[in-house]
Amino acid sequence: MLSLFLIVPFVGSVCCWFFGRQGYKFARFFAILAVMCIVLLSILIWLKDFYHHERCYHIYWYDELIIPWIPQLGIELHLALDGLSFIMIALTSVLSLIAVLCSFYQIKNNEGLFYFNLLFMVFGIMGVLLSIDLFLFFCFWEIMVLPMYFLIIFWGNPQYTEKQKIYTANKFLIYTQVSSIVMLFSILLLSFNYYYQTAIWTFDYNCFINNSIPLPLEYIIMLGFFIAFAVKMPIVPFHGWFVNCHSQSCIDGSFDVLGMLIKVAAYGLLRFNMHLFQHTSHNLHLIVFFLGIITIFYGAWMAFCELNLKKIIAYSSISHMGFILITIYCNNIFSYYGAIIQIIASSFTTSALFILLSQLYRRTHTNIITNLGGLYATIKWIPGFFLFFLFANLNLPGTINFVGEIMALIGIFIQSPYLGCILVFSLLFSVIYSLYITHKIFYGPLKNNFTMTCKQIDFLEFFMILFFMLITLILGIYPNNILQVIRLSIT
């Protein structure tokens, strides 16, 4: 069944490209069919492997597929699934479905090619989440980046010129490619070290996890992985590509998957750095905490100073990723719970806010907060939803964000009470810029007369936001199912 997570988006992307020439309805049909099949597969996997969780505590991988690829180098098409990868796959499935639905509003040219790129990126992300052979992992890591490059250039935000979009896409590609080369170097060193000790070529994660590495070499390898993931998260000072990429990507379709790209980096830290290089990661935890604190406060301050709403949400994401980075490196059971739940919560909240920004932009034709004001009484539903997700972003009790924050803070206080105090203080910055945005957009005098005649929210727009709202509340009120899956991944 694991292979279907790769086959479905790949075949779907080819069908979208091929049949998209016959008309946009064919492209949309195959795109929605592919992502719905992925969602259905995720539900079937949950029922099969995780619903009756008490039967599975003794199993490390719940499902596994091994096909030899390049036997001379020990490279295999080795896919495997545990609780952590299942959560990320389910999250990708849901966000992909919403991304396709969102694209119906904005993508009006070359739909077939657009959905080809979107589904091909989903194919790459699924491959990264399932790959246990590190050579295969690297191949999928490269595959998931390239479609984003074309999505920015050809379907980027129409507010920006072609030259600006090409510059942003090139910057994104250079950052990610340089970091990928560093990671490839680390993967090769890992494999060389194993060969030196056993005379066997392999790139298998299961072999590396029990293999000893000389300490200086382990530092070099660990840093290669860390830099690659820190660039993708993005952590200050590796964040240069992120804000422009967010603001210039197509507003409806790709932001969900762009959100998944950076969450995949957090998955990489949890999967590789915290398991393969436990000692060296622990020895460098103070440096990582420092980077995390800088990232949190820098992101929050820039969000407060910025006037473009898309950039504000982008800086807010940077700030959150700093928090998740610190939580991951606290390396105890509560921080592990907290990091994963925060990845989920942040993905839902950020995606919902971007959808609402898109809906707002279609009605006001501006993302600059100084041009907005007084919208609360003018547009139905959108202001209410916007306020809900802003407060969810502030970890409102009853939401999944609140569960993640509590777990993370307990884990951080166990590691260091002083660090916990600093991070609690950082939450005040989030409150300040969130209240500032709310006041500027929705209250005060109506600044743009065009908004007096703007169209009200339609059924599909309402359904997408309601879905995010319900899932945020349901997981917040009853988080046990998701906590059980995380617990299985710890076991």
Side-chain angles (χ1 to χ4, degrees), residues 15-297:
C15 288
C16 287
W17 190 9
F18 184 77
F19 291 103
R21 299 171 186 173
Q22 311 300 321
Y24 73 91
K25 289 183 180 177
F26 289 97
R28 288 182 179 181
F29 171 75
F30 283 106
I32 202 75
L33 182 65
V35 291
M36 286 186 73
C37 286
I38 298 171
V39 172
L40 185 62
L41 281 171
S42 301
I43 294 171
L44 291 176
I45 287 280
W46 180 70
L47 291 173
K48 173 176 168 284
D49 290 336
F50 298 99
Y51 183 66
H52 300 291
H53 46 78
E54 67 276 4
R55 296 186 306 184
C56 305
Y57 281 127
H58 63 287
I59 301 172
Y60 191 75
W61 302 114
Y62 296 103
D63 211 344
E64 207 167 357
L65 173 69
I66 304 175
I67 301 172
W69 182 15
I70 309 175
Q72 290 81 359
L73 292 175
I75 298 172
E76 299 170 323
L77 295 172
H78 189 177
L79 308 177
L81 183 84
D82 67 350
L84 175 61
S85 48
F86 170 73
I87 286 173
M88 299 299 292
I89 284 172
L91 188 60
T92 304
S93 306
V94 171
L95 292 180
S96 303
L97 175 62
I98 299 296
V100 171
L101 291 176
C102 284
S103 65
F104 290 175
Y105 286 97
Q106 194 175 24
I107 304 304
K108 304 296 182 188
N109 65 310
N110 296 322
E111 286 90 346
L113 203 54
F114 172 80
Y115 291 117
F116 167 79
N117 280 286
L118 196 64
L119 289 177
F120 207 69
M121 184 155 54
V122 174
F123 165 72
I125 292 172
M126 289 293 181
V128 166
L129 298 174
L130 288 171
S131 297
I132 294 305
D133 185 287
L134 288 186
F135 188 85
L136 186 65
F137 172 84
F138 177 78
C139 292
F140 282 116
W141 185 264
E142 290 290 286
I143 287 172
M144 75 176 183
V145 169
L146 290 177
M148 193 66 221
Y149 175 80
F150 295 111
L151 287 174
I152 295 171
I153 290 180
F154 295 116
W155 295 276
N157 192 333
Q159 289 178 295
Y160 294 90
T161 64
E162 187 176 342
K163 189 177 179 181
Q164 287 175 310
K165 285 186 278 191
I166 290 174
Y167 172 77
T168 299
N170 287 338
K171 194 174 180 181
F172 164 73
L173 200 62
I174 290 169
Y175 264 87
T176 52
Q177 287 303 296
V178 170
S179 63
S180 294
I181 290 170
V182 174
M183 184 168 69
L184 177 62
F185 179 69
S186 289
I187 291 173
L188 291 176
L189 282 180
L190 207 53
S191 184
F192 275 123
N193 177 66
Y194 191 84
Y195 178 77
Y196 181 75
Q197 294 182 3
T198 64
I200 298 172
W201 282 110
T202 186
F203 288 83
D204 196 309
Y205 174 87
N206 294 327
C207 296
F208 294 147
I209 203 164
N210 295 317
N211 187 40
S212 64
I213 308 172
L215 195 59
L217 183 62
E218 186 175 333
Y219 272 109
I220 294 171
I221 297 173
M222 183 275 293
L223 281 174
F225 278 88
F226 178 80
I227 290 170
F229 297 139
V231 168
K232 200 64 72 69
M233 279 185 80
I235 299 300
V236 176
F238 307 108
H239 67 291
W241 62 275
F242 183 71
V243 175
N244 284 341
C245 197
H246 246 308
S247 61
Q248 295 182 28
S249 62
C250 48
I251 196 165
D252 274 332
S254 64
F255 58 82
D256 295 280
V257 189
L258 180 62
M260 277 312 305
L261 284 180
I262 64 175
K263 301 303 186 296
V264 165
Y267 163 85
L269 283 177
L270 284 165
R271 169 72 71 205
F272 298 107
N273 282 52
M274 302 311 294
H275 283 178
L276 293 180
F277 321 113
Q278 290 185 22
H279 300 298
T280 48
S281 294
H282 176 73
N283 292 342
L284 291 184
H285 72 280
L286 290 178
I287 296 174
V288 175
F289 289 165
F290 177 74
L291 289 176
I293 291 170
I294 295 293
T295 303
I296 291 170
F297 283 97

Side-chain angles (χ1 to χ4, degrees), residues 305-309 312 366-374 436-437 439-441 443 445-448:
C305 297
E306 185 58 56
L307 295 178
N308 186 309
L309 279 169
I312 290 173
T366 181
N367 281 325
I368 306 301
I369 56 175
T370 52
N371 296 335
L372 298 169
Y436 175 72
I437 294 170
H439 176 76
K440 284 289 185 183
I441 299 175
Y443 298 109
L446 191 64
K447 291 187 177 179
N448 189 343

